[in-house]
């Protein structure tokens, strides 16, 4: 069964460093998303991506964040200069249609020291 | 942003009991999704709902899209230990362009 994959599973970085989180969405899906979940809290929307551009972003997704689909399979989230409060689980998701069911990856746990 | 109120916040039940939880909002939604999340893992989609009044089952799970389009319900019948986890609702509002997640219901099943 097709699934969303994410790498790495755990990333530890120093404050101020850049990190890139990688995702491979389900192959025939057209809509891609990044979400964040701080430990013990709800899932929060960061950004949606369609047709090689951002279609929607939340207040959390400031200038420190960027997304890219560098090739036909990968979808990446870059945090330019990490802050302590960026520590969280980051989930990638994909869907076939914009408001259809979204399938989540296993997540990347980002720890900023 | 949209606020989805999910209740109860936590539940402790005996194995074999039925479970009910709900998600409410002050806004109208077009889509409701229900997810289960185990610790340290990604949310797993359980049920998707697209029409007001729709009732959909997935094994022992049944979810309904409220007639007012402002709420949704999830029921689990005859709970088993592997039902333990956090259940999230997610809704796509009528006037929105993203999914919003509820605060989650933590379910503990006592064998």
């Amino acid at each position: 069964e097709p699934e969303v994959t994410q790498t790495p599973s755990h990333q530890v970085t120093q404050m101020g460093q850049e990190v890139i989180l990688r995702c491979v969405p389900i192959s025939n899906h057209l809509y891609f998303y990044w979400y964040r979940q701080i430990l013990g809290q709800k899932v929060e929307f960061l950004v949606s991506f369609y047709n090689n551009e951002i279609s929607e972003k939340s207040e959390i997704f400031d200038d420190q964040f960027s997304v890219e689909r560098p090739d036909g399979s990968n979808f990446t989230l870059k945090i330019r200069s990490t802050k302590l409060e960026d520590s969280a689980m980051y989930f990638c998701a994909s869907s076939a249609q914009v408001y259809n069911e979204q399938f989540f990856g296993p997540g990347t746990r980002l720890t900023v020291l | 942003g949209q606020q989805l109120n999910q209740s109860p916040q936590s539940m402790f039940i005996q194995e074999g009991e039925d479970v009910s939880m709900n998600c409410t909002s002050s806004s109208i939604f077009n889509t409701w999704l229900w997810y289960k999340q185990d610790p340290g893992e990604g949310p797993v989609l359980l049920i998707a709902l697209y029409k007001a009044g729709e009732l959909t089952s997935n094994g022992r799970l049944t979810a309904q899209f409220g007639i007012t389009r402002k709420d949704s319900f999830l029921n689990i019948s005859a709970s088993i230990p592997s039902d333990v986890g956090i259940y999230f609702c997610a809704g796509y509002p009528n006037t929105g362009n993203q999914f919003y997640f509820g605060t989650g219901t933590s379910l503990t099943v006592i064998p």
Side-chain angles (χ1 to χ4, degrees), chain A residues 37 56 91 99 101-102, chain B residues 31 35 37 45 50 97 99:
Chain A
Q37 186 178 35
E56 186 65 27
F91 294 107
Y99 54 84
E101 50 241 44
Q102 295 186 3
Chain B
T31 302
Y35 290 89
Q37 185 178 31
L45 182 66
Y50 299 104
N97 41 22
F99 273 96

Side-chain angles (χ1 to χ4, degrees), chain B residues 80-101:
Chain B
I80 59 179
S82 61
D83 290 334
V84 166
I86 300 179
Y87 291 79
F88 288 100
C89 62
Y92 194 96
N94 185 41
T95 56
N97 41 22
Q98 62 175 263
F99 273 96
Y100 293 89
F101 276 73

Side-chain angles (χ1 to χ4, degrees), chain A residues 97-112:
Chain A
Q97 297 291 335
V98 65
Y99 54 84
N100 273 23
E101 50 241 44
Q102 295 186 3
F103 295 88
F104 281 71
T108 293
R109 179 175 298 282
L110 177 65
T111 302
V112 182

Side-chain angles (χ1 to χ4, degrees), chain A residues 6 13-15 17 20 26 28 42 46 52 56 63 71 76 83-85 88 90 101 111-112:
Chain A
Q6 288 184 245
T13 189
Q14 294 289 330
M15 188 170 57
Q17 294 295 306
I20 297 176
I26 293 173
N28 62 345
K42 67 180 180 181
L46 292 178
N52 282 321
E56 186 65 27
D63 292 344
D71 54 43
T76 63
K83 304 187 284 281
L84 294 176
E85 54 264 38
Y90 288 81
E101 50 241 44
T111 302
V112 182

Side-chain angles (χ1 to χ4, degrees), chain B residues 17-30:
Chain B
E17 288 184 357
D18 297 343
V19 172
S20 291
M21 61 190 78
N22 67 73
C23 202
T24 61
S25 172
S26 58
S27 303
I28 291 174
F29 282 73
N30 286 340

Side-chain angles (χ1 to χ4, degrees), chain B residues 20-97:
Chain B
S20 291
M21 61 190 78
N22 67 73
C23 202
T24 61
S25 172
S26 58
S27 303
I28 291 174
F29 282 73
N30 286 340
T31 302
W32 287 100
L33 306 177
W34 284 92
Y35 290 89
K36 178 177 183 280
Q37 185 178 31
D38 292 328
E41 299 185 12
V44 174
L45 182 66
L46 300 173
I47 294 178
L49 302 161
Y50 299 104
K51 294 180 182 178
E54 180 181 354
L55 188 71
T56 298
S57 293
N58 178 6
R60 294 177 295 106
L61 278 63
T62 302
Q64 184 163 26
F65 195 136
I67 293 175
T68 65
R69 296 175 63 191
K70 294 181 179 181
D71 53 12
S72 181
F73 309 88
L74 176 69
N75 296 314
I76 305 173
S77 62
S79 58
I80 59 179
S82 61
D83 290 334
V84 166
I86 300 179
Y87 291 79
F88 288 100
C89 62
Y92 194 96
N94 185 41
T95 56
N97 41 22

